[in-house]
Amino acid sequence: MSALLGELAERLETLDDAGLRRSLTLPAGRDFASNDYLGLAADPGFADACAARLRSLDAAAPAARLLRGTSAAHLALERRFARFKGAEAALLYPSGWQANVGLLAAVIGPADRALSDERNHASLIDGLRLARCAKVVMPHGDLEAYGEALRRPWPGRTFVVTESYFSMDGSVAPLAGLADLAAAHGAELIVDDAHATGVFGARGAGLVEELGIEGRCLAVISTGGKALAASGGLIAGAAVLIDYLVNVSRAFVFTTAVPSAVLAALDVALDHVEAEPQRRQRVLAAAGELREALGRRGIHCPGVGPIVPVMLGTNQRALDVASACQRAGFDVRAVRPPTVAPGQARLRVSIHADHQPAELEALAATIADAVERLP
Ligand SMILES: Cc1ncc(COP(=O)(O)O)c(C=O)c1O
């Protein structure tokens, strides 16, 4: 083994000792881990509909969008998504990660300042690193702190960057308050609506819809890899913003276009979101059932909606309870640092529209039993 590989092996050992080593495993057990909130991926009809839709599309060439990679289906999907999000235009990236990094690095510069929620996703954090702007890490959802920071004078532009529905906490950003503050102080608001799209809002268009701030953000990012059961990242905003990103966003320009199979899946998923409000009603009800069943057993989970965090503290406690769930047939995963802060390891239970009351009750009993047995 070379010196470098030996060093990497040692670093892996250190992760192992801290209960932080990960490995890739095949899914086993009932899915309480993925972001298939609407139960589309688990619905056999979804795959059939995607295959049929794919056959109706022209094949997209394997090329960057600005070369031969743009098909009529890309443009149609982007127009449809813009309408869905109540925006002038939208742009599809291969992943939500690329969308966030590509957006932030393109529109924010070294003279600017970003106010970034302390629990923002890694892709937002890395996008701000690439932007090389000044960054103020904001206490989670604390409007007063945002107000105070915005009142501090800054020579460049200020951007408020936040998730809407936080992916590890199930908490909701105070979007209306942030939009008011941003407007009052001439700042721009960027909202990552990844985990809310398809789940919240009367039309399923996310928390940006539900909290009435459509049209008040510079950009809203959604992902295809969560409730829409596919993949991809979508930025919705003004036509001029999208045109600008097409020209200068490196994560868009220098990558291969999203393939037709993903376009078909996103299109079918949007059909479901538009035609089946019962899926989002059910997932919210099911999440309430699990929270209630856990609460009855003395386990109170923060947040709202389909991301149900069971706070356990140490990595080992989280791993032990996750293992107990897995042995009982529930695919529940432990979330550990650096995904969450040290000492805040947890189960991240992800509720789906097809979860039944009896299995939610059984899962709550399994979790409570495992927590009771912890040393
Ligand atoms: C809030 C948030 N934004 C962005 C992303 C990145 O999306 P993708 O998985 O499509 O790259 C994720 C995914 O984990 C996320 O949780």
Side-chain angles (χ1 to χ4, degrees):
M1 200 186 288
S2 73
L4 172 62
L5 292 180
E7 202 181 296
L8 298 184
E10 269 171 35
R11 287 189 218 164
L12 283 171
E13 290 299 320
T14 310
L15 285 176
D16 216 9
D17 293 344
L20 288 174
R21 183 159 178 179
R22 274 81 166 179
S23 60
L24 300 172
T25 52
L26 285 174
R30 184 79 165 114
D31 180 4
F32 282 90
S34 81
N35 301 312
D36 184 24
Y37 303 124
L38 300 179
L40 291 177
D43 181 339
F46 182 67
D48 290 344
C50 293
R53 188 71 49 93
L54 176 59
R55 281 191 291 275
S56 76
L57 300 182
D58 293 337
R65 286 287 300 275
L66 284 171
L67 296 174
R68 210 187 147 83
T70 295
S71 68
H74 285 97
L75 300 178
L77 193 272
E78 286 166 343
R79 276 195 302 273
R80 179 178 191 183
F81 202 80
R83 275 197 309 278
F84 174 60
K85 280 291 197 181
E88 273 179 11
L91 191 62
L92 175 63
Y93 287 67
S95 73
W97 182 287
Q98 277 167 273
N100 277 340
V101 167
L103 168 73
L104 299 178
V107 302
I108 306 179
D112 299 329
R113 165 178 74 157
L115 310 186
S116 172
D117 190 286
E118 63 184 345
R119 298 201 195 158
N120 273 347
H121 187 257
S123 54
L124 296 169
I125 295 169
D126 286 4
L128 293 176
R129 285 185 183 145
L130 268 180
R132 290 179 295 131
C133 60
K135 186 168 100 170
V136 187
V137 177
M138 303 304 299
H140 184 50
D142 184 341
L143 274 182
E144 222 167 276
Y146 276 95
E148 212 173 281
L150 283 164
R151 279 192 292 278
R152 262 176 253 138
W154 181 261
R157 285 205 173 75
T158 298
F159 293 81
V160 172
V161 180
T162 185
E163 287 181 41
S164 61
Y165 184 48
F166 283 83
S167 61
M168 294 297 144
D169 302 273
S171 54
V172 173
L175 293 180
L178 288 175
D180 289 346
L181 280 173
H185 295 276
E188 302 286 354
L189 178 59
I190 293 178
V191 176
D192 180 341
D193 218 11
H195 289 269
T197 297
V199 173
F200 293 100
R203 295 182 300 105
L207 278 168
V208 162
E209 180 204 358
E210 178 147 329
L211 299 179
I213 61 156
E214 283 166 314
R216 302 188 69 197
C217 307
L218 174 69
V220 178
I221 304 97
S222 303
T223 54
K226 316 240 182 274
L228 303 182
S231 69
L234 285 133
I235 297 176
V240 65
L241 171 77
I242 299 305
D243 195 9
Y244 179 76
L245 294 175
V246 166
N247 282 275
V248 310
S249 175
R250 293 167 68 82
F252 175 83
V253 173
F254 297 105
T255 195
T256 299
V258 168
S260 302
V262 173
L263 297 174
L266 288 171
D267 207 37
V268 171
L270 287 172
D271 289 349
H272 282 285
V273 171
E274 284 174 6
E276 297 171 345
Q278 65 275 18
R279 283 187 191 262
R280 51 187 173 272
Q281 288 154 8
R282 173 61 201 150
V283 70
L284 295 176
E289 286 164 20
L290 180 67
R291 285 171 192 279
E292 195 268 330
L294 286 167
R296 254 189 283 121
R297 293 169 170 85
I299 298 174
H300 301 284
C301 303
V304 295
I307 297 167
V308 182
V310 180
M311 307 303 290
L312 290 161
T314 66
N315 299 336
Q316 198 53 53
R317 283 166 62 86
L319 288 170
D320 287 350
V321 179
S323 300
C325 293
Q326 288 155 14
R327 283 195 300 275
F330 301 108
D331 188 0
V332 173
R333 307 287 172 107
V335 181
R336 292 162 283 161
T339 312
V340 293
Q344 295 202 7
R346 65 195 68 179
L347 302 185
R348 177 190 183 274
V349 184
S350 173
I351 299 302
H352 303 170
D354 59 324
H355 288 154
Q356 300 304 312
E359 57 188 343
L360 293 165
E361 194 65 38
L363 173 60
T366 303
I367 293 173
D369 186 53
V371 168
E372 191 119 305
R373 286 166 199 272
L374 285 172

